[in-house]
Amino acid sequence: MALTKIADVRILSDAEIEQNIQAVKRELFNLRLQQATGRLEKTHLFKHKRHYLGQLLTVERERQLNSASQPVEEE
């Protein structure tokens, strides 16, 4: 399974990014639970999920900074 590309994340809407962040955090929690109980077989999933979460958070922050740097038009 290959790691996701940042271009795949950039095409998502803000709402989709927010939903994916929550979903990946839940998945990471479940992976930690499985690891603690000795039921985790695919340990590489930690790397993939953390990588994807990092991409999501990066794009979210870039968009926040972009909207903050935009000048507000006054009428």
Side-chain angles (χ1 to χ4, degrees):
M1 184 168 140
L3 295 174
T4 58
K5 304 287 184 204
I6 192 78
D8 297 336
V9 178
R10 291 190 197 281
I11 61 174
L12 299 174
S13 70
D14 291 342
E16 289 174 322
I17 288 177
E18 197 61 41
Q19 290 173 350
N20 286 345
I21 288 172
Q22 294 302 319
V24 171
K25 284 183 177 182
R26 260 187 259 111
E27 291 171 10
L28 280 170
F29 175 78
N30 288 331
L31 286 173
R32 284 192 299 272
L33 221 74
Q34 289 177 10
Q35 185 180 35
T37 58
R39 294 183 294 134
L40 183 65
E41 295 178 10
K42 299 179 180 179
T43 57
H44 69 281
L45 291 178
F46 276 112
K47 178 180 180 178
H48 290 279
K49 298 300 177 185
R50 281 195 328 262
H51 179 81
Y52 186 54
L53 180 61
Q55 289 177 331
L56 289 167
L57 292 172
T58 298
V59 171
E60 181 184 47
R61 182 67 177 147
E62 285 174 351
R63 290 182 183 179
Q64 286 174 353
L65 292 174
N66 249 353
S67 66
S69 68
Q70 299 287 331
V72 178
E73 294 181 22
E74 294 182 24
E75 293 183 25

